[in-house]
Amino acid sequence: MADSIEFIQELLPSAERTALLYNLSFLCLGGFPKLERLIRDQAIETQMLFGTSEAVLLKCVGTSSNLVSSLFPMLKNAVLKNKSALAVQYLEKARTWINDIIRAVDDIVKRYDQQTRNVKTCTSDVYQEQKETEDKIKKQTDEVKGLEDAVANLEKELRNNVKNMEEIERRYQDKNNELQNQVRQYEQQKQCAWFLRAFVPFFACHQDASNMPGIAAKQSELSNLNSEKNSLRTKEWNIKIQLTDLQLKLANSKILLGAIPSPVHLKEVQRCLDQIRQILVDLKKFWEKVGVTLDTLKEKTFVGEDLIAMCDMKDEFLNSIEIAGKYWKRFGVCCQRAQGIFSLQSKDAYKFLEINPSSLSEAERNNQYKSIMEKLKKINPQGSAKAAITA
């Protein structure tokens, strides 16, 4: 949810998981030359896409820093000196920064959409190759049948968990909308309260429930729903780890029979790429919202030469800028952490492509399986050690 300061960190689990899933696909299917080429091509394209993602996130870090270190101090100075034209100039400069980010994010969202479709096509090609091979192999051992049944049961459990998460998310959004509306109604009664909302687009900073009647109970409900959602998310992650392990065993069994394993890890790559794309869509919407609120601030506050035309409101205006700086610094830190992960992924996580999977012995392949599974288990499903501030 783009109103949360840490929403960008939700990119991290999908980004880290993607390379590992490509690696598993490479190990399982790379022994078949045609499939090895298909997977290699898609992995390289994703690696390049992650490099571009790093650049976009770095731009977000820079803009957040510019708002805190440049725009806000200059706006304070303009307000103190009653220089409305200067303030308008500063806000228009900030708008150009934001427009640059919106264009960059929009472009990369389109590239993720295309890459997800490319991986889907690659997956379909693998299925076709698998079908042609399995038509030649009718024998199926009891071990393979048992693994297929276990996989099916886990997939069913995963689907049920996803449904529960969707229901919790729906309830959370409904309650969150009620809370936001109530806070806005409360703030509308306060003179100049919209200053803070203009400078700080994160809803979290407006949730000081101690002075707002009727808010504490809703916040408590939101907190409970968020805890339940995180619990289900962790459960989903654990199911996926178990499922990946079983799918690996099933793939090995099929390889021993001479059959092509199912491209299940490529399907999961598609989901990861789509999750990243959706969060980047939220990032674009977030910056669009920032741009609109700054435009509103410029139009409502700096009209002609009448700079805020009220001495008694200057203190609140300046205080809003001080509060805004703290939240923008935190947002910049979150973007920087996400940028660092994408940097690491784009440089180091795809080194497995340097190895010819056909040259690996069964023992070497099993050791790599175990190593990848350990890395998957270490990924934090929440994307951050700290719980995100409620949007």
Side-chain angles (χ1 to χ4, degrees):
M1 292 163 287
D3 284 337
S4 167
I5 293 177
E6 287 94 348
F7 80 94
I8 198 70
Q9 293 193 160
E10 294 179 13
L11 285 168
L12 306 188
S14 293
E16 292 176 296
R17 189 172 169 82
T18 298
L20 295 173
L21 290 166
Y22 269 128
N23 198 343
L24 287 175
S25 300
F26 203 59
L27 286 172
C28 291
L29 303 169
F32 302 89
K34 179 180 177 181
L35 304 185
E36 188 264 347
R37 289 193 299 273
L38 289 173
I39 296 167
R40 182 184 294 277
D41 289 345
Q42 297 311 316
I44 290 172
E45 185 62 34
T46 300
Q47 183 182 18
M48 295 171 62
L49 190 54
F50 276 19
T52 307
S53 302
E54 177 195 356
V56 171
L57 288 166
L58 195 57
K59 189 183 286 283
C60 292
V61 174
T63 300
S64 299
S65 176
N66 286 339
L67 290 174
V68 175
S69 63
S70 179
L71 176 67
F72 293 165
M74 290 190 295
L75 271 181
K76 288 173 67 177
N77 190 51
V79 169
L80 290 169
K81 294 182 178 180
N82 291 322
K83 294 185 177 181
S84 60
L86 201 57
V88 169
Q89 183 181 338
Y90 295 151
L91 288 169
E92 288 175 347
K93 179 62 177 175
R95 195 62 166 99
T96 63
W97 300 339
I98 291 163
N99 286 341
D100 286 345
I101 290 179
I102 291 171
R103 283 192 292 270
V105 175
D106 187 49
D107 178 64
I108 201 168
V109 164
K110 291 175 182 175
R111 288 183 59 188
Y112 270 100
D113 189 47
Q114 181 60 51
Q115 183 58 17
T116 303
R117 290 199 295 269
N118 290 345
V119 175
K120 183 177 181 180
T121 300
C122 175
T123 306
S124 297
D125 291 342
V126 175
Y127 275 123
Q128 180 60 34
E129 190 78 7
Q130 178 193 39
K131 183 178 183 302
E132 292 173 4
T133 303
E134 287 189 342
D135 285 343
K136 303 173 186 176
I137 304 172
K138 300 298 183 182
K139 179 183 174 184
Q140 188 178 48
T141 66
D142 291 338
E143 180 186 5
V144 169
K145 182 64 171 65
L147 286 168
E148 286 178 337
D149 291 343
V151 166
N153 289 334
L154 270 180
E155 287 175 338
K156 181 179 179 181
E157 186 178 352
L158 183 60
R159 287 194 296 271
N160 290 336
N161 194 76
V162 169
K163 287 181 182 178
N164 291 336
M165 285 183 66
E166 290 172 349
E167 173 61 21
I168 291 294
E169 181 65 26
R170 184 191 62 76
R171 289 166 53 195
Y172 183 96
Q173 288 298 335
D174 289 346
K175 191 61 63 177
N176 189 42
N177 289 337
E178 291 177 18
L179 176 61
Q180 291 198 36
N181 291 335
Q182 196 164 341
V183 171
R184 290 192 182 100
Q185 290 172 7
Y186 177 82
E187 288 186 340
Q188 285 170 2
Q189 300 169 11
K190 297 171 62 181
Q191 191 179 35
C192 209
W194 59 273
F195 282 153
L196 184 60
R197 189 168 291 281
F199 286 125
V200 193
F202 314 107
F203 181 71
C205 68
H206 307 284
Q207 295 184 12
D208 182 7
S210 59
N211 296 319
M212 299 184 188
I215 299 296
K218 283 190 173 62
Q219 281 193 314
S220 178
E221 290 181 61
L222 275 177
S223 178
N224 291 335
L225 285 171
N226 198 50
S227 295
E228 192 171 348
K229 183 170 62 174
N230 285 336
S231 176
L232 286 171
R233 184 180 292 166
T234 300
K235 181 180 178 181
E236 177 189 33
W237 200 260
N238 291 334
I239 293 173
K240 284 185 174 181
I241 292 294
Q242 295 176 52
L243 191 55
T244 300
D245 188 42
L246 281 175
Q247 287 165 340
L248 279 174
K249 292 176 181 176
L250 180 58
N252 276 332
S253 295
K254 288 194 171 185
I255 288 172
L256 292 174
L257 285 174
I260 295 176
S262 295
V264 288
H265 308 305
L266 284 177
K267 293 177 70 175
E268 191 63 26
V269 166
Q270 293 175 53
R271 295 188 188 97
C272 289
L273 291 174
D274 195 57
Q275 286 167 357
I276 293 172
R277 184 195 63 81
Q278 185 54 56
I279 294 168
L280 290 172
V281 168
D282 289 342
L283 180 65
K284 179 189 173 187
K285 290 178 181 177
F286 166 79
W287 284 109
E288 288 173 340
K289 178 180 176 181
V290 174
V292 170
T293 52
L294 288 183
D295 287 344
T296 302
L297 178 70
K298 181 180 70 175
E299 293 165 4
K300 285 189 176 183
T301 309
F302 304 100
V303 182
E305 294 300 319
D306 299 325
L307 178 61
I308 323 183
M310 27 123 192
C311 292
D312 59 328
M313 294 173 72
K314 276 190 180 179
D315 286 343
E316 187 165 354
F317 184 91
L318 295 172
N319 183 55
S320 296
I321 294 178
E322 287 291 334
I323 295 172
K326 297 176 182 177
Y327 282 93
W328 277 105
K329 283 181 182 177
R330 288 177 61 186
F331 178 71
V333 168
C334 292
C335 287
Q336 194 164 30
R337 183 165 184 262
Q339 176 261 325
I341 291 293
F342 274 92
S343 176
L344 185 66
Q345 292 295 306
S346 64
K347 292 174 183 174
D348 299 328
Y350 290 82
K351 288 186 175 179
F352 64 87
L353 293 172
E354 299 171 4
I355 300 172
N356 179 357
S358 299
S359 67
L360 296 175
S361 66
E362 186 175 348
E364 289 172 327
R365 184 178 285 105
N366 286 333
N367 286 336
Q368 289 206 23
Y369 285 153
K370 291 176 183 177
S371 175
I372 296 168
M373 288 304 301
E374 286 303 313
K375 291 175 183 177
L376 282 170
K377 290 174 183 176
K378 290 178 181 178
I379 296 175
N380 187 340
Q382 311 302 334
S384 170
K386 285 186 173 182
I389 289 182
T390 304

